[in-house]
Amino acid sequence: MAFSAVLNVFRVAELRSRLLFTLALLAVYRLGIFIHTPGINRAALDAHMKLQKDSGGFLNIFNFFSGGALEQMSIFALGIMPYISASIVMSLLTVVVPAFDRLNKEGALGRRKINQYTRYGTILISIAQGIGIAKIAELMGRSAETGTSPIVVETPDFWFYAMTVITLTAGTAFIMWLGERITESGIGNGISLIIFAGIVARLPAGMTIIYTSVKTDTLNLGMVFLLLAFMLLVIAAVVYVERGMRRIPIQYAKRVSGQRVFAGQASYFPLKVNAAGVIPPIFASTLLSLPATLAPYLPLLQDMQNLLRDNLWIYNGIFVFLIVFFAFFYTSLTFRPDDIADNIKKNGGYIPGLRPGRQTADYISRVLNRLTAGGSIYLALICVTPTVISGWTHLPIYFGGTGLLIVVGVALDTVQQIEQHLITKNYEGFSGPRGPRIRGRIRMGT
């Protein structure tokens, strides 16, 4: 049954062309990973990136979301992170700034303007981060802590900075363009698929290291099977929660048109269990990695870095607190119960047992807070558990909780879009004629 569902994908000409187009652009992105920026000593860079991996520095975050492009110092070293940051900033501005809020409510034209401002913001953030990456590369091998280690940048003059910033900014702009083309002419959300491809592309290297460890008897084969069982359990939990939602019933009043009376309709308003998505873990990881990166240049942060590195409980405790905080913070900024209550009231609807307006908004806010509390605990458990298990058992877990959330969420969203194409062509889809429909959950970028 599942095999015939997969065959249905290739029987639809439009869907087949969309899939091939998506795979082709993702292949272009992966090829660009190996095109290097000028002025870098690769051998010295490899040595310093090894130190960054061991210390868990801020560059690890960029390297993770760029699919390993930063450790190659390629033209795609910044990855898609500047676009994600600009998208988040614009989402917050639509809540805080009335002018952006009005644009957001103008429909397709307003959203196009917001997308254009997001692109401008991406370029500005890329320029700033490109200068920072160039500065960090210059300091590698020249700070007092590195001693006699090789110098990464031999001639850190103006032209090196100019070429690095222009190259990295152009690389990010090209990735942004690839993502938009995938969204328009391919399958799935292009930005999410680019991150998905970068994370999945690093799996073979991790599996090779595990195989080598088993072959040299440094890792027990039984522990590997336990690790695989744990990964499958976590994936099942992520799929279950990411597809979960709370349905608030909505009743619409009767409508009279001329001499005809239309009966009221019953519907529901869905609230996701994890409304904040992967934004809280990303923000929390970024903040916790800052001391590791800035400690060589700001000695005041050295004690904090040592405390976070040597005490697993303190690190994970702060990580959990930041995830919970950002889950509530981001949800409160991007989800407004007052607007939802007003829209329900304008459309002639109401929640049974509640008055339209303020009482409805308070009820939605109360339900949302409960869901966010449960969703934040779920996010913290998914993100912290692999780290705790790796610290206790010394097992090499290369697929962390944040990456797992992104991969599973993007996979669900992509399968949902493929299923919608199949249904429109009178095929059954992946779930069969009577099975539940796949609901995608995580979207990054627009």
Side-chain angles (χ1 to χ4, degrees), residues 139-209:
L139 293 177
M140 287 179 177
R142 288 184 168 84
S143 59
E145 288 79 3
T146 56
T148 59
S149 62
I151 296 176
V152 173
V153 182
E154 298 292 341
T155 56
D157 53 10
F158 170 80
W159 294 111
F160 165 75
Y161 272 84
M163 287 298 298
T164 301
V165 172
I166 292 174
T167 301
L168 297 183
T169 303
T172 297
F174 183 72
I175 296 176
M176 180 175 59
W177 180 83
L178 287 179
E180 292 178 351
R181 296 289 75 76
I182 291 175
T183 303
E184 292 179 3
S185 304
I187 286 292
N189 183 276
I191 302 301
S192 301
L193 283 174
I194 286 175
I195 300 176
F196 174 91
I199 296 174
V200 173
R202 297 173 65 82
L203 279 179
M207 295 175 64
T208 302
I209 295 176

Side-chain angles (χ1 to χ4, degrees), residues 385-399:
T385 302
T387 305
V388 173
I389 292 179
S390 179
W392 282 347
T393 62
H394 301 288
L395 282 175
I397 298 180
Y398 298 99
F399 209 45

Side-chain angles (χ1 to χ4, degrees), residues 99-341:
F100 288 107
D101 185 39
R102 288 192 297 269
L103 275 179
N104 191 40
K105 294 179 179 179
E106 287 181 1
L109 180 61
R111 285 192 294 271
R112 280 199 297 267
K113 291 182 179 179
I114 290 178
N115 289 338
Q116 191 65 28
Y117 293 148
T118 302
R119 297 186 187 102
Y120 296 151
T122 300
I123 299 301
L124 294 177
I125 294 175
S126 298
I127 293 173
Q129 291 181 349
I131 295 173
I133 294 296
K135 184 64 177 178
I136 292 175
E138 177 191 353
L139 293 177
M140 287 179 177
R142 288 184 168 84
S143 59
E145 288 79 3
T146 56
T148 59
S149 62
I151 296 176
V152 173
V153 182
E154 298 292 341
T155 56
D157 53 10
F158 170 80
W159 294 111
F160 165 75
Y161 272 84
M163 287 298 298
T164 301
V165 172
I166 292 174
T167 301
L168 297 183
T169 303
T172 297
F174 183 72
I175 296 176
M176 180 175 59
W177 180 83
L178 287 179
E180 292 178 351
R181 296 289 75 76
I182 291 175
T183 303
E184 292 179 3
S185 304
I187 286 292
N189 183 276
I191 302 301
S192 301
L193 283 174
I194 286 175
I195 300 176
F196 174 91
I199 296 174
V200 173
R202 297 173 65 82
L203 279 179
M207 295 175 64
T208 302
I209 295 176
I210 294 178
Y211 173 77
T212 305
S213 300
V214 173
K215 193 174 181 179
T216 56
D217 293 331
T218 57
L219 186 63
N220 191 301
L221 186 61
M223 298 298 290
V224 175
F225 284 112
L226 287 177
L227 177 62
L228 292 176
F230 169 75
M231 294 298 296
L232 291 176
L233 180 63
V234 173
I235 290 174
V238 171
V239 172
Y240 178 79
V241 176
E242 292 298 326
R243 294 181 62 187
M245 64 175 61
R246 168 71 183 276
R247 299 182 177 183
I248 298 179
I250 304 294
Q251 183 68 42
Y252 291 95
K254 296 180 180 180
R255 294 185 296 109
V256 179
S257 178
Q259 296 181 350
R260 301 183 63 182
V261 178
F262 296 91
Q265 296 180 349
S267 182
Y268 65 89
F269 182 81
L271 287 177
K272 298 178 182 179
V273 175
N274 179 27
V278 296
I279 300 301
I282 292 174
F283 280 5
S285 300
T286 303
L287 285 181
L288 281 177
S289 62
L290 280 176
T293 301
L294 299 179
Y297 318 111
L298 297 176
L300 295 177
L301 297 177
Q302 188 62 52
D303 293 337
M304 181 183 298
Q305 162 59 13
N306 294 335
L307 181 64
L308 294 176
R309 181 183 58 193
D310 299 334
N311 196 313
L312 184 64
W313 290 104
I314 293 179
Y315 178 89
N316 288 326
I318 297 176
F319 191 35
V320 169
F321 171 78
L322 290 176
I323 289 176
V324 174
F325 170 77
F326 283 121
F328 277 94
F329 177 75
Y330 187 75
T331 302
S332 64
L333 288 178
T334 58
F335 199 100
R336 290 172 284 184
D338 291 337
D339 292 344
I340 296 173

